[in-house]
Amino acid sequence: METRRAYKIAQALEQLVFSGTYQDGERLDELKLAEQFSVSRTPIREALQVLVSTGMAEQIPRRGVFVRQPGAVELMEMFETMAELEAACGRLAATRMSDTDLKQLKEANKKGEQAIRNQDPDLYYAENEIFHQIIYRGSANSYLEKQALQLQNKLRAYRKMQLRFRGRLDQSMAEHTEIIFALENADAEKAAAALRKHVAVQGEKFHQLMASLKT
């Protein structure tokens, strides 16, 4: 229960950072946050650690936890790296993935479709994370899987924000269909290309993301 509460507080803090309520470099005070969310300091500490783990905050010894937002160049580089990691996972998973993994991938995608019908982008993103994690696992390369999971965690808030752009949910689902088709047919290059396109943030989409971080 405490963990779930801490995660919800972390999500709320992410939105406060994106809205500009908390600025880059600002200290996140445990006592004030505990009062703001009407909770003890324990879930606040846990929530702050979630932000630290995703790179949205930095913990400085004996000073506290401070908001940290990547600049435009760093964020673009993170997305470029993520796209290449996902492409590598897809290329390997196309020939290594088990039938059980493929079945689970389709199930996660169906749940994502239901989330879209329910107009629930948060639930869609939760299923989207599972969808991608199944592909990481399907690569049968534990080191690559670990690297992909770490960067997925750091980009969580930004990838989630993308889904609020008009038309992005339906576009994401169409891209999932293309990815599944390539994996089912053991087409390594098509799987890699589809995943790279799915994750990469370029042109208008990146400008939308950066504009969202400034509003």
Side-chain angles (χ1 to χ4, degrees):
M1 188 68 175
E2 286 294 323
T3 300
R4 186 181 303 173
R5 182 183 297 176
Y7 185 70
K8 287 183 176 180
I9 292 171
Q11 288 182 310
L13 288 172
E14 286 174 358
Q15 293 307 310
L16 289 171
V17 170
F18 289 147
S19 70
T21 302
Y22 293 109
Q23 301 291 323
D24 187 39
E26 184 173 348
R27 183 173 178 272
L28 296 170
D29 187 276
E30 286 184 12
L31 282 174
K32 290 181 179 178
L33 290 173
E35 290 178 8
Q36 180 180 338
F37 289 97
S38 301
V39 295
S40 69
R41 293 174 67 177
T42 299
I44 296 298
R45 288 195 191 101
E46 292 178 2
L48 293 180
Q49 288 309 306
V50 171
L51 296 187
V52 170
S53 72
T54 61
M56 286 204 68
E58 180 181 11
Q59 185 157 26
I60 301 176
R62 295 183 296 280
R63 290 187 59 196
V65 176
F66 296 79
V67 174
R68 183 189 181 281
Q69 278 196 280
V73 173
E74 183 182 358
L75 191 58
M76 175 61 89
E77 289 174 345
M78 289 167 71
F79 269 104
E80 284 181 345
T81 303
M82 187 81 255
E84 293 305 320
L85 286 173
E86 296 244 6
C89 287
R91 183 180 291 108
L92 294 175
T95 54
R96 297 180 179 181
M97 194 167 202
S98 69
D99 289 339
T100 299
D101 283 336
L102 273 171
K103 181 180 178 182
Q104 291 176 349
L105 194 68
K106 291 178 183 178
E107 288 173 354
N109 206 43
K110 284 181 180 178
K111 290 178 181 177
E113 288 177 338
Q114 184 60 52
I116 291 177
R117 286 194 291 271
N118 294 340
Q119 298 183 328
D120 189 339
D122 289 337
L123 179 58
Y124 177 81
Y125 185 73
E127 295 302 332
N128 181 66
E129 276 198 316
I130 294 170
F131 180 92
H132 285 270
Q133 288 166 7
I134 292 168
I135 296 173
Y136 305 162
R137 185 176 71 235
S139 72
N141 182 315
S142 59
Y143 183 80
L144 179 60
E145 179 184 4
K146 181 180 178 181
Q147 298 305 308
L149 285 169
Q150 286 179 344
L151 192 49
Q152 183 193 50
N153 189 45
K154 287 184 178 297
L155 283 172
R156 176 178 290 122
Y158 305 100
R159 290 177 75 168
K160 191 173 180 180
M161 179 178 285
Q162 283 187 79
L163 297 176
R164 299 189 180 277
F165 298 161
R166 183 164 53 87
R168 181 54 191 155
L169 283 174
D170 290 333
Q171 182 185 16
S172 177
M173 183 54 64
E175 291 164 0
H176 278 197
T177 300
E178 186 180 352
I179 291 164
I180 291 172
F181 182 80
L183 291 171
E184 279 187 308
N185 287 278
D187 192 326
E189 292 312 311
K190 282 189 177 180
L195 276 156
R196 183 182 292 109
K197 181 181 71 174
H198 178 59
V199 176
V201 177
Q202 299 171 347
E204 183 182 353
K205 191 160 58 170
F206 185 69
H207 291 311
Q208 283 180 301
L209 179 59
M210 293 309 298
S212 297
L213 297 178
K214 294 175 183 176
T215 57

